Every structure is written in structure tokens, then in C-alpha cells.
Amino acid sequence: MLKERNSIEYELYAPYALFSEVATRTGGEKFSYQVPTYQALKGITESIYWKPTFIWVIDGVRVMNKIQTEGKGIRPIKMNGGNDLSYYTYLKDVRYRVRAHFEWNEQRQDLVQDRNENKHHNIAKRSLAQGGRRDIFLGARECQGYVEPCSFDSGEGFYDKYGEMSLGYMFYGFSYPDENPEHNFIAKFWRPVMNNGVIAFVRPDAQSLDCDVIRNQQAVKDFVIGDNFSLAQE
């Protein structure tokens, strides 16, 4: 797995996590995937630091703790009022190491003036050292987590000598309208394999991903520097 020059590496941990999507929420129940999705890690990295000038690309995740689940009885609020009873299956005592880098959003020609790699990289590293700019959630609002800088390859993980582990057919992530030239809202799926605890993500534009267009040609908000957008200060 190649480490880009503008990469950040961080440890992500929490008592509980719930990485799910529509197919794992049948009948009002929620059941977590065994590992975080690409989209979940992208959202967490954006909580550390993000601007529409660039897109975070997740290179890989390393599963440090044993995969464990715990079921909980939940009383969610019903749409027509009152409460219902559901069972959610969470991941328990999770700890991951993540490597990510950013690339310019080529669909954002209105923000070319903000393309300063060194500036954004330094801000991202400082934001990571402070635990991120926004609260960290691992798939659900009730699963608050924490991030801190680390070395991706250091330390001992539970699956370091486990070999290959197929994780089945999983949700990968979204491509939002301002991230592709057709301005479509796209859902993507794939079949990840964990190798000695490490999942190396294919690129979000990889041909191997199964893509499903949810909405065609969506409107994209324009940014005007000095009006509704300010340049990041290093």
C-alpha cells in the first residue's frame, strides 16, 4: 500500500461501533458489518479536517482488536409517535489504524485558488493532533469515538498473522454529485478481503466497484471565495 506524501495516519477507537446500510437494517433492526466501510472512514477523516477543495481517499484500514459483537435492546422513536422495540448488533471494543490522503476535487474549478497542498496537509495534521475538528462517530450517533496520530504499521494487531479473510459483499461508499463529472449520486459496492488484519481499499473510481446510480444530474452548489467560502489559513 503506497503512502502518499500528503497522507495522515491515525488510530481510531471506541467502546462500540455500528457500520450498517439499508441491507443490514431489515425490519427496523440494525446489524453492523464486521469492519468499517470506506464511506464511514471517509466521513471520520472529514471530521478531522475537510474542505470542498479536496476529497479524502482512504488507502487502508488495519483492524487492531478482535472482531466482537454485542446485541442491545433499543427503544427507538416511531414516526407516528411513541416507542418501538428493536435489537441492534454493535461491534464492541473496536480499534483501527487508518491511512488516508487527499486529492484535489477536479469538479471544483471554482476553488482552484485554494489548492495549496502544504497548507492543507499541515492543517490536517494539527487538527488530528487535537482529536479532530468535529465529534467522531463510528457509524451511529450513539457510538462516539476518538482519534489520535499513530504509525499505521507499528504495534501488534490481533489479525497480524491471520492470513486472508473474505468479508463478503459489502457497501463501499457514495460518490456525491460534486465528486463526479455527471453530477450523479452513486452508491458503490465491493467484495473486500482482509489480509493479516489490513484491508487495502481500491480507489473510489476503480472499475471493479459495482455502481448504482441513485439520482441523476443533481444540482451542485457553487462556492464564491469571499462570499460563501473563505480560504483556509495555515
Side-chain angles (χ1 to χ4, degrees):
M1 187 195 318
L2 178 66
K3 181 177 179 179
E4 303 288 344
R5 67 181 184 181
N6 62 6
S7 292
I8 61 171
E9 296 178 338
Y10 63 88
E11 185 162 279
L12 168 67
Y13 55 95
Y16 294 98
L18 179 56
F19 303 112
S20 65
E21 48 92 25
V22 175
T24 61
R25 300 176 194 162
T26 56
E29 314 292 320
K30 292 184 181 180
F31 192 93
S32 179
Y33 285 123
Q34 297 179 77
V35 295
T37 63
Y38 179 95
Q39 187 64 41
L41 295 175
K42 180 181 176 184
I44 289 167
T45 309
E46 289 176 348
S47 292
I48 296 171
Y49 174 64
W50 175 82
K51 294 201 82 174
T53 311
F54 59 83
I55 300 172
W56 281 110
V57 176
I58 310 302
D59 301 307
V61 60
R62 184 179 171 205
V63 181
M64 302 299 290
N65 288 356
K66 181 180 180 181
I67 298 172
Q68 305 175 84
T69 60
E70 181 178 314
K72 292 186 178 184
I74 305 293
R75 295 187 62 82
I77 299 174
K78 298 168 68 174
M79 292 293 292
N80 58 354
N83 293 88
D84 203 353
L85 177 62
S86 296
Y87 285 94
Y88 293 0
T89 302
Y90 295 87
L91 294 175
K92 179 182 178 182
D93 186 26
V94 298
R95 186 163 62 97
Y96 308 105
R97 293 197 170 179
V98 181
R99 176 182 291 164
H101 73 279
F102 63 81
E103 299 177 359
W104 304 130
N105 186 348
E106 296 300 335
Q107 310 311 313
R108 282 292 178 193
Q109 294 301 312
D110 50 345
L111 299 179
V112 170
Q113 188 178 344
D114 192 39
R115 293 183 181 179
N116 185 324
E117 182 183 55
N118 185 63
K119 174 184 71 174
H120 288 296
H121 191 208
N122 285 333
I123 295 174
K125 289 189 292 184
R126 289 200 304 270
S127 298
L128 173 58
Q130 297 298 318
R133 288 193 164 189
R134 301 197 300 266
D135 289 343
I136 305 297
F137 301 108
L138 281 75
R141 180 63 178 80
E142 66 269 26
C143 299
Q144 185 163 7
Y146 307 91
V147 294
E148 58 185 44
C150 74
S151 172
F152 186 85
D153 297 316
S154 67
E156 184 176 339
F158 184 85
Y159 295 96
D160 286 355
K161 299 178 182 179
Y162 195 85
E164 286 194 357
M165 177 179 174
S166 177
L167 298 167
Y169 195 67
M170 282 182 58
F171 174 68
Y172 175 89
F174 293 117
S175 177
Y176 289 100
D178 70 337
E179 296 178 347
N180 62 83
E182 294 79 20
H183 302 314
N184 296 332
F185 181 43
I186 306 169
K188 301 178 180 181
F189 301 84
W190 73 319
R191 297 182 181 275
V193 175
M194 184 169 71
N195 188 4
N196 292 327
V198 176
I199 300 171
F201 290 105
V202 297
R203 288 185 51 83
D205 55 0
Q207 296 297 312
S208 59
L209 293 170
D210 293 337
C211 298
D212 182 20
V213 177
I214 301 173
R215 298 188 184 92
N216 289 298
Q217 298 178 341
Q218 298 295 291
V220 175
K221 177 181 179 180
D222 291 326
F223 288 103
V224 179
I225 295 176
D227 183 7
N228 60 353
F229 182 89
S230 61
L231 295 177
Q233 298 298 317
E234 189 175 355

